[in-house]
Amino acid sequence: MEIKVLGPGCPKCQIAEKNVRDAVSEAGVDATVIKVTDTMEIAKHGVFGTPAVVIDNEVKSVGKIPGKEEIKTWIKK
Amino acid sequence: MAEGCCTKNRNIMILACSGGSNVGQLANRVAVELTQEGIGKMFCLAGIGGHLSGFVQSARDVPQMVAVDGCSVGCAKAILEHAEIPIKDYLVLTDLGMEKNKNFDLKADEIQKVKDAVKEVCGPKQPFSPITEMDSSGCCH
């Protein structure tokens, strides 16, 4: 599983990334977490704003910080 | 696309039908001008119509959105319904008394009338002001 956190580096983006990493760790799933800061790369996902979370190329959240429990529902098989 | 950093809560998403008539193109023109004026940000209705996840999820998650259809056929509304996106503020230009035709010479007074109508339909829920509150790194807090 590949999880991307889209965001140039603001505090909200950092919290989103931490929540994703914590959720992955707590859920015990095999996932690679990638922080994407390049605006052109972010634009390729067609999101209206950041932070955004993308799991296996499907955008799950845009413009808000998803909580750990919500993230777990996305990553648990 | 993402510009700068975190999305501002008052960043109104503007979706125009951009159809092949005067009112469709009027909707498009107004969306462009309101974006340039910092009232909101035009977003890609075609991406939603294509069910691309970035566009669909963005429309679902945005706090405030206005959809503008040129006529009562309601293509923008239908696209949002098909993608199961809740419709928030909504405007149909022919309901403003505009006649649908194929004259693409858009008039300044009509553009202004629609801009005022969009601002009104978005209502007093949030004040209109340019989106400029970012720090030196381009990030909001």
Side-chain angles (χ1 to χ4, degrees), chain B residues 16-109:
Chain B
C17 79
S18 305
S21 68
N22 63 322
V23 286
Q25 287 308 299
L26 192 53
N28 185 74
R29 185 68 220 163
V30 164
V32 170
E33 292 197 12
L34 291 176
T35 300
Q36 291 171 330
E37 294 169 15
I39 300 298
K41 194 158 75 172
M42 188 179 187
F43 197 56
C44 187
L45 188 65
I48 298 171
H51 286 219
L52 304 180
S53 70
F55 295 90
V56 172
Q57 196 60 46
S58 291
R60 286 181 180 149
D61 286 347
V62 74
Q64 191 169 7
M65 168 225 289
V66 57
V68 185
D69 265 318
C71 68
S72 59
V73 175
C75 299
K77 184 180 181 182
I79 286 170
L80 294 174
E81 288 174 344
H82 195 250
E84 299 180 337
I85 295 167
I87 296 170
K88 296 165 184 171
D89 296 319
Y90 181 62
L91 187 69
V92 180
L93 301 194
T94 50
D95 288 350
L96 301 177
M98 293 175 176
E99 184 182 350
K100 181 179 178 180
N101 58 47
K102 291 287 184 180
N103 179 2
F104 294 112
D105 294 325
L106 307 179
K107 296 178 173 59
D109 62 327

Coordinates of all heavy atoms in Angstrom, one line a residue, chain B residues 16-109:
Chain B
A16 N -18.7 26.0 -12.5 CA -19.6 26.6 -13.5 C -19.8 25.5 -14.6 O -19.0 24.7 -14.9 CB -18.9 27.8 -14.2
C17 N -21.1 25.5 -15.1 CA -21.4 24.5 -16.2 C -20.5 24.7 -17.4 O -20.2 23.8 -18.1 CB -22.9 24.5 -16.5 SG -23.4 25.8 -17.6
S18 N -20.2 26.0 -17.7 CA -19.3 26.3 -18.8 C -19.9 25.8 -20.1 O -19.1 25.4 -21.0 CB -17.9 25.9 -18.6 OG -17.4 26.4 -17.4
G19 N -21.2 25.7 -20.3 CA -21.8 25.1 -21.4 C -21.8 25.9 -22.7 O -21.3 27.0 -22.7
G20 N -22.3 25.3 -23.8 CA -22.2 25.9 -25.1 C -23.3 26.8 -25.5 O -23.9 26.7 -26.6
S21 N -23.6 27.7 -24.6 CA -24.6 28.8 -24.9 C -24.1 30.1 -24.2 O -23.1 30.0 -23.5 CB -26.0 28.4 -24.3 OG -25.9 28.4 -22.9
N22 N -24.8 31.1 -24.4 CA -24.4 32.4 -23.8 C -24.4 32.3 -22.3 O -23.5 32.7 -21.6 CB -25.3 33.6 -24.2 CG -26.8 33.3 -23.8 OD1 -27.3 32.2 -23.8 ND2 -27.5 34.4 -23.4
V23 N -25.5 31.7 -21.7 CA -25.5 31.6 -20.3 C -24.5 30.6 -19.7 O -24.0 30.8 -18.6 CB -27.0 31.2 -19.8 CG1 -27.9 32.4 -19.9 CG2 -27.5 30.0 -20.6
G24 N -24.2 29.6 -20.5 CA -23.1 28.6 -20.0 C -21.8 29.3 -20.0 O -21.0 29.2 -19.0
Q25 N -21.5 30.1 -21.0 CA -20.2 30.9 -21.0 C -20.2 32.0 -20.1 O -19.2 32.4 -19.6 CB -19.9 31.3 -22.5 CG -19.5 30.2 -23.4 CD -18.4 29.4 -22.8 OE1 -17.3 29.9 -22.5 NE2 -18.6 28.1 -22.5
L26 N -21.4 32.6 -19.8 CA -21.5 33.6 -18.8 C -21.2 33.0 -17.4 O -20.4 33.7 -16.6 CB -22.9 34.2 -18.8 CG -23.2 35.5 -18.0 CD1 -22.3 36.6 -18.4 CD2 -24.7 35.9 -18.3
A27 N -21.7 31.9 -17.1 CA -21.3 31.2 -15.9 C -19.8 31.0 -15.8 O -19.2 31.2 -14.7 CB -22.0 29.8 -15.8
N28 N -19.2 30.6 -16.9 CA -17.8 30.4 -16.9 C -17.0 31.7 -16.7 O -16.1 31.7 -15.9 CB -17.4 29.8 -18.3 CG -15.9 29.4 -18.3 OD1 -15.5 28.4 -17.7 ND2 -15.1 30.2 -19.0
R29 N -17.4 32.7 -17.4 CA -16.8 34.0 -17.3 C -16.8 34.6 -15.8 O -15.9 35.1 -15.3 CB -17.4 35.0 -18.2 CG -16.8 36.4 -18.3 CD -15.4 36.3 -18.9 NE -14.4 37.1 -18.3 CZ -13.1 37.0 -18.4 NH1 -12.6 36.1 -19.1 NH2 -12.3 37.9 -17.7
V30 N -18.0 34.4 -15.2 CA -18.2 34.9 -13.8 C -17.3 34.1 -12.9 O -16.7 34.6 -12.0 CB -19.6 34.8 -13.5 CG1 -19.8 34.9 -11.9 CG2 -20.4 35.9 -14.1
A31 N -17.2 32.8 -13.1 CA -16.3 32.0 -12.3 C -14.9 32.4 -12.4 O -14.1 32.5 -11.4 CB -16.4 30.5 -12.7
V32 N -14.4 32.8 -13.6 CA -13.1 33.2 -13.8 C -12.9 34.6 -13.1 O -11.9 34.7 -12.4 CB -12.8 33.4 -15.3 CG1 -11.5 34.1 -15.5 CG2 -12.8 32.0 -16.0
E33 N -13.8 35.5 -13.3 CA -13.6 36.8 -12.7 C -13.7 36.8 -11.2 O -12.9 37.5 -10.5 CB -14.6 37.8 -13.2 CG -14.4 38.1 -14.7 CD -15.1 39.3 -15.2 OE1 -15.6 40.1 -14.4 OE2 -15.2 39.5 -16.5
L34 N -14.6 36.0 -10.6 CA -14.6 35.9 -9.1 C -13.4 35.3 -8.6 O -12.9 35.6 -7.5 CB -15.9 35.1 -8.7 CG -17.2 35.8 -9.0 CD1 -18.4 34.9 -8.6 CD2 -17.3 37.1 -8.2
T35 N -12.8 34.4 -9.3 CA -11.5 33.8 -8.9 C -10.4 34.9 -9.0 O -9.6 35.0 -8.0 CB -11.1 32.6 -9.8 OG1 -12.1 31.6 -9.8 CG2 -9.8 32.0 -9.4
Q36 N -10.4 35.6 -10.0 CA -9.4 36.7 -10.1 C -9.5 37.7 -9.1 O -8.5 38.4 -8.6 CB -9.5 37.3 -11.5 CG -9.0 36.4 -12.7 CD -9.3 37.0 -14.0 OE1 -10.3 37.7 -14.2 NE2 -8.5 36.6 -15.0
E37 N -10.7 37.9 -8.6 CA -11.0 38.9 -7.6 C -10.8 38.4 -6.2 O -10.9 39.1 -5.2 CB -12.4 39.5 -7.7 CG -12.6 40.3 -9.0 CD -14.1 40.6 -9.3 OE1 -14.9 40.4 -8.4 OE2 -14.4 40.9 -10.4
G38 N -10.5 37.1 -6.1 CA -10.2 36.5 -4.8 C -11.5 36.2 -4.0 O -11.4 35.9 -2.8
I39 N -12.6 36.2 -4.6 CA -13.9 35.9 -4.0 C -13.9 34.4 -3.7 O -14.5 33.9 -2.7 CB -15.1 36.3 -4.8 CG1 -15.0 37.8 -5.1 CG2 -16.4 35.9 -4.2 CD1 -15.1 38.6 -3.8
G40 N -13.4 33.6 -4.6 CA -13.4 32.1 -4.4 C -12.4 31.6 -5.4 O -11.5 32.3 -5.9
K41 N -12.6 30.3 -5.7 CA -11.6 29.7 -6.6 C -12.4 28.7 -7.5 O -13.0 27.8 -7.1 CB -10.5 28.9 -5.8 CG -9.3 28.6 -6.7 CD -8.1 28.3 -5.9 CE -8.1 27.0 -5.1 NZ -6.8 26.7 -4.5
M42 N -12.3 29.0 -8.8 CA -12.9 28.1 -9.8 C -12.3 26.7 -9.8 O -11.1 26.6 -9.6 CB -12.8 28.7 -11.2 CG -13.6 28.0 -12.3 SD -13.4 28.8 -13.9 CE -14.5 27.9 -14.8
F43 N -13.1 25.7 -9.9 CA -12.6 24.4 -9.8 C -13.2 23.6 -11.0 O -14.1 24.1 -11.7 CB -13.1 23.7 -8.5 CG -12.3 22.5 -8.2 CD1 -10.9 22.5 -8.1 CD2 -13.0 21.3 -7.9 CE1 -10.2 21.3 -7.7 CE2 -12.3 20.1 -7.6 CZ -10.9 20.1 -7.5
C44 N -12.6 22.5 -11.3 CA -12.8 21.8 -12.6 C -14.0 20.8 -12.5 O -13.9 19.7 -12.0 CB -11.6 21.0 -13.0 SG -11.7 20.3 -14.6
L45 N -15.1 21.3 -13.1 CA -16.3 20.4 -13.1 C -16.1 19.2 -13.9 O -16.7 18.1 -13.6 CB -17.5 21.2 -13.6 CG -18.9 20.6 -13.5 CD1 -19.3 20.4 -12.0 CD2 -20.0 21.4 -14.1
A46 N -15.3 19.3 -15.0 CA -15.1 18.2 -15.8 C -14.4 17.0 -15.1 O -14.6 15.9 -15.3 CB -14.2 18.6 -17.1
G47 N -13.5 17.4 -14.2 CA -12.8 16.4 -13.4 C -13.8 15.6 -12.5 O -13.6 14.4 -12.3
I48 N -14.8 16.4 -12.0 CA -15.8 15.7 -11.2 C -16.6 14.8 -12.1 O -16.9 13.7 -11.7 CB -16.7 16.8 -10.5 CG1 -15.8 17.6 -9.5 CG2 -17.8 16.1 -9.7 CD1 -16.5 18.8 -8.9
G49 N -17.0 15.3 -13.3 CA -17.7 14.5 -14.2 C -17.0 13.3 -14.6 O -17.7 12.2 -14.9
G50 N -15.7 13.3 -14.6 CA -14.9 12.1 -15.0 C -14.7 11.2 -13.8 O -14.0 10.2 -13.9
H51 N -15.3 11.6 -12.6 CA -15.2 10.8 -11.4 C -13.7 10.6 -11.0 O -13.4 9.5 -10.5 CB -15.9 9.5 -11.5 CG -17.4 9.6 -11.5 ND1 -18.2 8.8 -10.8 CD2 -18.2 10.6 -12.0 CE1 -19.5 9.2 -10.9 NE2 -19.5 10.3 -11.6
L52 N -12.9 11.6 -11.2 CA -11.5 11.5 -10.8 C -11.5 11.8 -9.3 O -12.0 12.8 -8.8 CB -10.6 12.5 -11.6 CG -10.7 12.3 -13.1 CD1 -9.8 13.4 -13.7 CD2 -10.2 10.9 -13.5
S53 N -10.8 11.0 -8.5 CA -11.0 11.0 -7.1 C -10.6 12.3 -6.5 O -11.2 12.8 -5.5 CB -10.3 9.8 -6.4 OG -8.9 10.0 -6.5
G54 N -9.5 12.9 -7.0 CA -9.0 14.2 -6.4 C -10.1 15.3 -6.5 O -10.3 16.1 -5.6
F55 N -10.8 15.3 -7.6 CA -11.8 16.3 -7.9 C -13.1 16.0 -7.1 O -13.6 16.9 -6.5 CB -12.1 16.4 -9.4 CG -10.9 16.9 -10.2 CD1 -10.0 16.0 -10.7 CD2 -10.7 18.3 -10.4 CE1 -8.9 16.5 -11.5 CE2 -9.7 18.7 -11.1 CZ -8.7 17.8 -11.7
V56 N -13.5 14.8 -7.1 CA -14.7 14.4 -6.4 C -14.5 14.6 -4.9 O -15.4 15.2 -4.2 CB -15.0 12.9 -6.7 CG1 -16.2 12.5 -5.8 CG2 -15.4 12.8 -8.1
Q57 N -13.4 14.1 -4.3 CA -13.2 14.3 -2.9 C -13.0 15.7 -2.5 O -13.5 16.1 -1.4 CB -12.0 13.4 -2.5 CG -11.9 13.2 -1.0 CD -13.1 12.4 -0.4 OE1 -13.5 11.4 -1.0 NE2 -13.7 12.9 0.7
S58 N -12.4 16.5 -3.3 CA -12.3 17.9 -3.1 C -13.6 18.6 -2.9 O -13.9 19.4 -2.0 CB -11.5 18.6 -4.2 OG -10.1 18.2 -4.2
A59 N -14.5 18.3 -3.8 CA -15.9 18.9 -3.8 C -16.6 18.4 -2.6 O -17.5 19.1 -2.0 CB -16.6 18.5 -5.1
R60 N -16.4 17.1 -2.2 CA -17.1 16.6 -1.0 C -16.6 17.3 0.3 O -17.3 17.5 1.2 CB -16.9 15.1 -0.9 CG -17.7 14.3 -1.9 CD -17.5 12.8 -1.7 NE -18.2 12.1 -2.7 CZ -17.9 10.9 -3.2 NH1 -16.7 10.3 -2.8 NH2 -18.6 10.3 -4.0
D61 N -15.3 17.6 0.3 CA -14.7 18.1 1.6 C -14.7 19.6 1.7 O -14.5 20.1 2.8 CB -13.2 17.6 1.7 CG -13.1 16.1 2.0 OD1 -14.2 15.5 2.4 OD2 -12.0 15.5 1.9
V62 N -14.9 20.3 0.7 CA -14.8 21.8 0.7 C -15.9 22.3 1.6 O -17.1 21.9 1.5 CB -14.8 22.4 -0.7 CG1 -16.2 22.4 -1.3 CG2 -14.2 23.8 -0.6
P63 N -15.6 23.3 2.5 CA -16.7 23.8 3.4 C -17.7 24.6 2.6 O -18.9 24.6 3.0 CB -15.9 24.7 4.3 CG -14.5 24.2 4.3 CD -14.3 23.8 2.9
Q64 N -17.4 25.3 1.6 CA -18.3 26.2 0.9 C -18.1 26.1 -0.6 O -17.0 26.2 -1.1 CB -18.3 27.6 1.3 CG -19.5 28.4 0.8 CD -19.6 29.8 1.4 OE1 -18.7 30.3 2.1 NE2 -20.6 30.5 1.1
M65 N -19.2 25.8 -1.3 CA -19.2 25.7 -2.7 C -20.4 26.3 -3.3 O -21.5 26.3 -2.7 CB -19.2 24.2 -3.0 CG -19.4 23.8 -4.5 SD -20.6 22.5 -4.7 CE -19.6 21.1 -4.1
V66 N -20.2 26.9 -4.5 CA -21.4 27.4 -5.3 C -21.3 26.8 -6.7 O -20.3 26.8 -7.3 CB -21.5 28.9 -5.3 CG1 -20.2 29.5 -5.9 CG2 -22.7 29.4 -6.1
A67 N -22.4 26.2 -7.1 CA -22.5 25.7 -8.5 C -23.4 26.6 -9.3 O -24.4 27.1 -8.8 CB -23.1 24.3 -8.4
V68 N -22.9 26.9 -10.5 CA -23.6 27.9 -11.4 C -24.0 27.2 -12.7 O -23.1 26.8 -13.5 CB -22.8 29.1 -11.6 CG1 -23.6 30.1 -12.4 CG2 -22.3 29.7 -10.3
D69 N -25.3 27.0 -12.9 CA -25.7 26.4 -14.2 C -26.3 27.6 -15.0 O -26.9 28.5 -14.5 CB -26.9 25.4 -13.9 CG -26.4 24.0 -13.9 OD1 -25.5 23.7 -14.7 OD2 -26.8 23.2 -13.0
G70 N -26.0 27.5 -16.3 CA -26.6 28.5 -17.2 C -28.1 28.4 -17.4 O -28.8 29.4 -17.4
C71 N -28.6 27.2 -17.5 CA -30.0 27.0 -17.7 C -30.6 25.9 -16.9 O -29.9 25.2 -16.2 CB -30.2 26.8 -19.2 SG -29.6 25.2 -19.8
S72 N -31.8 25.7 -17.1 CA -32.5 24.8 -16.2 C -32.3 23.3 -16.6 O -32.7 22.4 -15.9 CB -34.1 25.0 -16.2 OG -34.5 24.9 -17.6
V73 N -31.6 23.1 -17.6 CA -31.1 21.7 -17.9 C -30.3 21.2 -16.7 O -30.4 20.0 -16.4 CB -30.3 21.6 -19.2 CG1 -29.8 20.2 -19.5 CG2 -31.2 22.0 -20.4
G74 N -29.5 22.1 -16.2 CA -28.9 21.7 -14.9 C -27.7 20.7 -15.0 O -27.7 19.8 -14.2
C75 N -26.9 20.9 -15.9 CA -25.8 19.9 -16.1 C -24.8 19.9 -14.9 O -24.4 18.8 -14.5 CB -25.0 20.3 -17.4 SG -26.0 20.2 -18.9
A76 N -24.5 21.1 -14.4 CA -23.6 21.1 -13.2 C -24.2 20.4 -12.0 O -23.6 19.6 -11.4 CB -23.3 22.5 -12.8
K77 N -25.5 20.7 -11.8 CA -26.2 20.0 -10.7 C -26.3 18.5 -10.9 O -26.1 17.7 -10.0 CB -27.7 20.5 -10.7 CG -28.5 20.0 -9.5 CD -29.9 20.6 -9.5 CE -30.7 20.1 -8.3 NZ -32.1 20.7 -8.4
A78 N -26.5 18.1 -12.2 CA -26.6 16.6 -12.5 C -25.2 16.0 -12.3 O -25.2 14.8 -11.8 CB -27.0 16.4 -13.9
I79 N -24.2 16.6 -12.6 CA -22.8 16.1 -12.4 C -22.5 15.9 -10.9 O -22.0 14.8 -10.5 CB -21.8 17.0 -13.1 CG1 -21.8 16.9 -14.6 CG2 -20.4 16.7 -12.5 CD1 -21.0 17.9 -15.3
L80 N -22.9 16.9 -10.1 CA -22.7 16.7 -8.7 C -23.5 15.6 -8.1 O -23.0 14.8 -7.3 CB -23.0 18.1 -8.0 CG -22.1 19.2 -8.4 CD1 -22.5 20.5 -7.8 CD2 -20.6 18.9 -7.9
E81 N -24.8 15.5 -8.5 CA -25.6 14.5 -8.0 C -25.1 13.1 -8.4 O -25.1 12.2 -7.6 CB -27.1 14.6 -8.6 CG -27.8 15.8 -7.9 CD -29.1 16.1 -8.5 OE1 -29.4 15.6 -9.7 OE2 -29.9 16.9 -7.9
H82 N -24.6 13.0 -9.7 CA -24.1 11.7 -10.2 C -22.9 11.3 -9.4 O -22.6 10.1 -9.2 CB -23.8 11.8 -11.6 CG -23.6 10.5 -12.3 ND1 -22.3 10.1 -12.8 CD2 -24.4 9.6 -12.6 CE1 -22.5 8.9 -13.3 NE2 -23.7 8.6 -13.3
A83 N -22.1 12.3 -8.9 CA -20.9 12.0 -8.2 C -21.2 11.9 -6.7 O -20.2 11.8 -5.9 CB -19.8 13.0 -8.4
E84 N -22.5 12.0 -6.3 CA -22.9 11.9 -4.9 C -22.2 13.0 -4.0 O -21.7 12.7 -2.9 CB -22.7 10.5 -4.3 CG -23.5 9.5 -5.1 CD -23.3 8.1 -4.5 OE1 -22.2 7.8 -3.9 OE2 -24.1 7.2 -4.7
I85 N -22.2 14.2 -4.6 CA -21.6 15.4 -3.9 C -22.8 16.2 -3.4 O -23.6 16.6 -4.3 CB -20.7 16.1 -4.8 CG1 -19.5 15.3 -5.2 CG2 -20.2 17.5 -4.2 CD1 -18.6 15.8 -6.3
P86 N -22.8 16.5 -2.2 CA -23.9 17.4 -1.7 C -23.9 18.8 -2.3 O -22.8 19.4 -2.4 CB -23.6 17.5 -0.2 CG -22.8 16.4 0.2 CD -21.9 16.1 -1.1
I87 N -25.0 19.2 -2.8 CA -25.1 20.5 -3.5 C -25.4 21.6 -2.4 O -26.3 21.4 -1.6 CB -26.2 20.5 -4.5 CG1 -25.8 19.6 -5.7 CG2 -26.4 22.0 -5.1 CD1 -26.9 19.3 -6.7
K88 N -24.5 22.5 -2.3 CA -24.6 23.6 -1.3 C -25.3 24.8 -2.0 O -26.5 24.8 -2.2 CB -23.3 23.9 -0.7 CG -22.7 22.6 0.0 CD -21.2 22.7 0.3 CE -20.8 21.3 0.9 NZ -19.4 21.2 1.0
D89 N -24.6 25.8 -2.2 CA -25.2 27.0 -2.9 C -25.3 26.7 -4.4 O -24.5 26.1 -5.0 CB -24.4 28.2 -2.6 CG -24.4 28.6 -1.1 OD1 -25.4 28.5 -0.5 OD2 -23.3 28.9 -0.6
Y90 N -26.5 27.2 -5.0 CA -26.7 26.9 -6.4 C -27.5 28.0 -7.0 O -28.4 28.6 -6.4 CB -27.6 25.6 -6.4 CG -28.0 25.1 -7.8 CD1 -27.0 24.7 -8.7 CD2 -29.3 25.0 -8.2 CE1 -27.3 24.3 -9.9 CE2 -29.6 24.5 -9.5 CZ -28.6 24.2 -10.3 OH -28.9 23.7 -11.6
L91 N -27.2 28.2 -8.3 CA -27.7 29.3 -9.1 C -28.0 28.9 -10.5 O -27.1 28.2 -11.1 CB -26.8 30.5 -9.0 CG -27.2 31.8 -9.6 CD1 -28.3 32.4 -8.7 CD2 -26.1 32.8 -9.7
V92 N -29.1 29.3 -11.1 CA -29.4 29.0 -12.5 C -29.6 30.4 -13.2 O -30.5 31.2 -12.7 CB -30.7 28.2 -12.7 CG1 -30.9 27.9 -14.2 CG2 -30.5 26.8 -12.0
L93 N -28.8 30.7 -14.2 CA -28.8 32.0 -14.7 C -30.1 32.4 -15.4 O -30.5 33.5 -15.4 CB -27.6 32.2 -15.7 CG -26.3 32.0 -15.0 CD1 -25.1 32.5 -15.9 CD2 -26.2 32.6 -13.6
T94 N -30.8 31.4 -16.1 CA -32.1 31.8 -16.7 C -33.1 32.1 -15.7 O -34.1 32.8 -16.0 CB -32.5 30.6 -17.6 OG1 -32.5 29.4 -16.9 CG2 -31.7 30.5 -18.9
D95 N -32.9 31.7 -14.5 CA -33.9 32.1 -13.4 C -33.7 33.5 -13.0 O -34.6 34.1 -12.4 CB -33.6 31.2 -12.1 CG -34.1 29.8 -12.3 OD1 -34.8 29.5 -13.3 OD2 -33.8 29.0 -11.4
L96 N -32.6 34.1 -13.5 CA -32.4 35.6 -13.3 C -33.0 36.4 -14.4 O -32.9 37.6 -14.4 CB -30.9 35.9 -13.2 CG -30.1 35.2 -12.1 CD1 -28.6 35.5 -12.2 CD2 -30.6 35.5 -10.7
G97 N -33.7 35.7 -15.3 CA -34.4 36.4 -16.4 C -33.5 36.5 -17.6 O -33.9 37.2 -18.6
M98 N -32.4 35.8 -17.7 CA -31.6 35.8 -18.9 C -32.1 34.8 -19.9 O -32.4 33.7 -19.5 CB -30.1 35.5 -18.5 CG -29.5 36.6 -17.6 SD -27.9 36.3 -17.1 CE -27.5 37.9 -16.2
E99 N -32.0 35.2 -21.1 CA -32.5 34.3 -22.2 C -31.3 33.5 -22.7 O -30.3 34.1 -23.0 CB -33.1 35.2 -23.3 CG -33.7 34.3 -24.4 CD -34.3 35.2 -25.6 OE1 -34.4 36.4 -25.4 OE2 -34.6 34.6 -26.6
K100 N -31.6 32.3 -22.9 CA -30.5 31.4 -23.4 C -30.5 31.5 -24.9 O -31.5 31.3 -25.6 CB -30.8 29.9 -23.0 CG -29.8 28.9 -23.5 CD -30.2 27.5 -23.0 CE -29.2 26.5 -23.5 NZ -29.6 25.1 -23.1
N101 N -29.3 31.7 -25.5 CA -29.1 31.8 -26.9 C -27.7 31.4 -27.3 O -26.9 31.0 -26.4 CB -29.6 33.2 -27.4 CG -28.8 34.3 -26.8 OD1 -27.5 34.2 -26.7 ND2 -29.5 35.3 -26.3
K102 N -27.4 31.7 -28.5 CA -26.0 31.3 -29.0 C -25.2 32.6 -29.3 O -24.2 32.5 -30.0 CB -26.1 30.5 -30.3 CG -26.6 29.1 -30.0 CD -25.6 28.2 -29.3 CE -26.1 26.8 -29.2 NZ -25.1 25.9 -28.5
N103 N -25.6 33.7 -28.7 CA -24.8 34.9 -28.8 C -23.7 34.9 -27.7 O -24.0 35.1 -26.6 CB -25.7 36.1 -28.7 CG -24.9 37.4 -28.8 OD1 -23.7 37.4 -29.0 ND2 -25.6 38.5 -28.7
F104 N -22.5 34.7 -28.2 CA -21.4 34.6 -27.2 C -20.7 36.0 -26.9 O -19.6 36.0 -26.3 CB -20.3 33.6 -27.7 CG -20.9 32.2 -27.7 CD1 -21.1 31.5 -28.9 CD2 -21.2 31.5 -26.5 CE1 -21.6 30.3 -28.9 CE2 -21.7 30.3 -26.5 CZ -21.9 29.6 -27.7
D105 N -21.3 37.1 -27.4 CA -20.8 38.4 -27.0 C -21.3 38.8 -25.7 O -22.4 39.4 -25.6 CB -21.1 39.4 -28.1 CG -20.5 39.1 -29.4 OD1 -19.3 38.7 -29.4 OD2 -21.1 39.4 -30.5
L106 N -20.6 38.4 -24.6 CA -21.1 38.6 -23.3 C -21.1 40.0 -22.9 O -20.1 40.7 -23.2 CB -20.3 37.7 -22.3 CG -20.2 36.2 -22.6 CD1 -19.3 35.5 -21.6 CD2 -21.6 35.6 -22.7
K107 N -22.1 40.5 -22.3 CA -22.2 41.9 -21.9 C -21.7 42.2 -20.5 O -22.0 41.4 -19.6 CB -23.6 42.4 -22.1 CG -24.1 42.3 -23.6 CD -25.6 42.8 -23.7 CE -26.0 42.8 -25.1 NZ -25.8 41.5 -25.9
A108 N -21.1 43.3 -20.3 CA -20.5 43.6 -19.0 C -21.6 43.7 -17.9 O -21.4 43.3 -16.8 CB -19.7 45.0 -19.1
D109 N -22.7 44.3 -18.3 CA -23.8 44.4 -17.3 C -24.3 43.1 -16.8 O -24.7 42.9 -15.7 CB -24.9 45.4 -17.7 CG -25.6 44.9 -19.0 OD1 -24.9 44.2 -19.8 OD2 -26.8 45.1 -19.1

